[in-house]
Each structure stands twice: as structure tokens, then as C-alpha cells.
């Protein structure tokens, strides 16, 4: 697909393989990861519905194989390494809340307030909301817009229409969409790639992030 102009008509006519490769290389983020709006093009929704279907039909092995054909390592910064307390909150509750909370954009604090239970703490709410919404964004399910907050993405809109068991089936394939994780799963030795990939972080940060990374990598170690 090198040199292909990624306009909407081109993408609509992609083969299944071409669409998935464009998705995993983030070449069509403008269509799938943009915020959902009332006037969004039906073509965007068609593309995302198709992606949601394909990532459930293809096996993880097939997906990794097609990614390897076109993969170029992503440049990674500390903000690109996932951090969360509950994976379920990232891929189930965050997109659900964004679709059903009645707000177009949700701040870190608002998201944390909706996700957390128990004694209220503004600082804890903000940090929890930030970590889990950012991880959901890495999965392609929402989009952060500076100065506004998080909004459900077009992909997230199509994804939230799925049954829970279908969402669960999407988790592994969506995890491969995360640049850091993708760099690792296509490497000859994924475990070594993980350690090398976080080596630029401080030891304390590595210790916090590694369990999260291992949780996300678990679906590729079968």
C-alpha cells in the first residue's frame, strides 16, 4: 500500500487484508480514531464496522502475520507505554461511559469520578481517569482532543454496539493496534523486546508499567 492516497473512497475499496494493514499501521486513523459526531460520514462508520468484524474473524496469528508484512517500528516515548489498574475499565467501561454519559467530551477528572467508587479524591479521580482513558485511546476506542477532553471515536462507537462477548474477542486484536505492544509482538523475541522497549524509563516506572504490559501481551503468548 506504499504510495496509496488514503482518501475515503480508496479505503472503502480496500481488500480485507489491505484494510487491516492500513488500520494497524495507523494510516487511516483520520477515519477510525477521530471523535464521533452527529454529522459523521456514514462511510467512516462502514469502515469501522468492517474493522470490528474482521478483527473478530481473523486469528491473532493471522493478524500478527499480516502486520509483519508492513510493520515499521513506532517511535516510543514514556506516554506511549500503557498504564492502568483495570483492563476491564479500559476496554469496556470507558467506551461505554463515553457513549452513554451525555457529554461530548469528558475530562480526566470526570472520567475518574465515573470509574472510581468509594471515598472521593479529586487527585485520585484525575489520575485514574487519565490512565484508563489514555489506554482506551491507545486501543483506538476514544480520542483525546486538547482543551476539550476525551470523546468516543468512530471505532469506539461501532465497538460499543457489540455484545460483551464480541468486545472480549476484539481485545487481543485491538491490543496489537497499540504501537508499543505492536513493536514487541512482531519482534523475534517479544519478551526481550518488552524489556528493551521500557529500558529508557526509570527503574520505578518500569516496575509499575511491566505488569500492565505483561497483561496486554498475554493474549499473544498462547
Amino acid at each position: 500500500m506504499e504510495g496509496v492516497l488514503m482518501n475515503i473512497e480508496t479505503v472503502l475499496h480496500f481488500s480485507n487484508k489491505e484494510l487491516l494493514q492500513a488500520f494497524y499501521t495507523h494510516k487511516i486513523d483520520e477515519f477510525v480514531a477521530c471523535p464521533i459526531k452527529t454529522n459523521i460520514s456514514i462511510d467512516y462508520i462502514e469502515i469501522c464496522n468492517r474493522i470490528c468484524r474482521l478483527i473478530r474473524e481473523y486469528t491473532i496469528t493471522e493478524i500478527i502475520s499480516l502486520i509483519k508484512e508492513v510493520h515499521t517500528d513506532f517511535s516510543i516515548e514514556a506516554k506511549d507505554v500503557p498504564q492502568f489498574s483495570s483492563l476491564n475499565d479500559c476496554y469496556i467501561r470507558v467506551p461505554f461511559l463515553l457513549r452513554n454519559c451525555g457529554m461530548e467530551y469528558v475530562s480526566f477528572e470526570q472520567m475518574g469520578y465515573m470509574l472510581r467508587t468509594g471515598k472521593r479524591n479529586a487527585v485520585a479521580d484525575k489520575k485514574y481517569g487519565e490512565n484508563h482513558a489514555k489506554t482506551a485511546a491507545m486501543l483506538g476506542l476514544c480520542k483525546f482532543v486538547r482543551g476539550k477532553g476525551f470523546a468516543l471515536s468512530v471505532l469506539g462507537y461501532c465497538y460499543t454496539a457489540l455484545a460483551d462477548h464480541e468486545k472480549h474477542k476484539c481485545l487481543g486484536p485491538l491490543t496489537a493496534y497499540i504501537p508499543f505492544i505492536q513493536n514487541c509482538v512482531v519482534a523475534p523475541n517479544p519478551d526481550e523486546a518488552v524489556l528493551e522497549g521500557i529500558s529508557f524509563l526509570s527503574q520505578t516506572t518500569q516496575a509499575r508499567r511491566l505488569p500492565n504490559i505483561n497483561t496486554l501481551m498475554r493474549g499473544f503468548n498462547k
Side-chain angles (χ1 to χ4, degrees):
M1 291 180 297
E2 186 176 352
V4 173
L5 179 62
M6 294 296 176
N7 60 55
I8 192 69
E9 287 300 322
T10 298
V11 177
L12 284 169
H13 290 91
F14 274 167
S15 68
N16 290 342
K17 180 179 179 180
E18 287 173 331
L19 180 60
L20 287 176
Q21 288 181 326
F23 171 66
Y24 282 110
T25 53
H26 290 250
K27 291 180 178 177
I28 55 172
D29 279 0
E30 64 182 298
F31 306 128
V32 302
C34 62
I36 186 75
K37 299 177 181 178
T38 54
N39 62 341
I40 198 73
S41 169
I42 191 69
D43 292 336
Y44 289 28
I45 294 175
E46 180 182 336
I47 288 168
C48 290
N49 275 330
R50 190 175 164 202
I51 290 171
C52 285
R53 173 176 60 80
L54 291 175
I55 63 175
R56 301 197 315 274
E57 292 177 353
Y58 279 62
T59 67
I60 286 293
T61 300
E62 290 170 336
I63 287 173
I64 297 304
S65 178
L66 65 84
I67 291 174
K68 285 182 176 180
E69 292 181 11
V70 294
H71 176 81
T72 299
D73 272 359
F74 293 95
S75 178
I76 300 298
E77 301 177 19
K79 65 180 178 61
D80 302 313
V81 182
Q83 182 177 1
F84 54 86
S85 301
S86 166
L87 183 56
N88 186 76
D89 279 358
C90 299
Y91 84 101
I92 296 293
R93 296 187 66 206
V94 166
F96 173 84
L97 289 169
L98 288 173
R99 179 158 182 164
N100 294 284
C101 69
M103 296 180 284
E104 185 176 4
Y105 293 96
V106 174
S107 69
F108 294 152
E109 295 90 340
Q110 290 168 329
M111 180 58 71
Y113 186 88
M114 290 188 288
L115 289 173
R116 292 182 69 245
T117 57
K119 187 177 180 180
R120 304 304 342 158
N121 181 303
V123 175
D125 282 348
K126 181 177 180 179
K127 190 61 178 176
Y128 195 92
E130 179 180 3
N131 287 344
H132 291 78
K134 281 184 174 180
T135 302
M138 291 180 190
L139 293 166
L141 301 176
C142 61
K143 176 73 173 179
F144 179 71
V145 178
R146 191 173 298 278
K148 293 185 177 181
F150 286 94
L152 192 68
S153 67
V154 183
L155 182 68
Y157 175 81
C158 296
Y159 167 87
T160 51
L162 301 175
D164 283 350
H165 73 278
E166 293 174 316
K167 293 174 187 171
H168 182 71
K169 196 167 184 178
C170 289
L171 178 59
L174 288 178
T175 298
Y177 175 79
I178 301 175
F180 177 86
I181 299 298
Q182 188 178 135
N183 283 354
C184 296
V185 298
V186 302
N189 189 321
D191 292 336
E192 287 183 5
V194 167
L195 296 177
E196 182 178 346
I198 61 173
S199 61
F200 70 96
L201 301 172
S202 69
Q203 290 294 321
T204 53
T205 303
Q206 288 184 45
R208 287 198 305 270
R209 304 287 179 91
L210 189 56
N212 295 157
I213 296 166
N214 287 338
T215 295
L216 293 172
M217 292 288 291
R218 201 167 293 146
F220 306 101
N221 295 330
K222 295 177 181 178

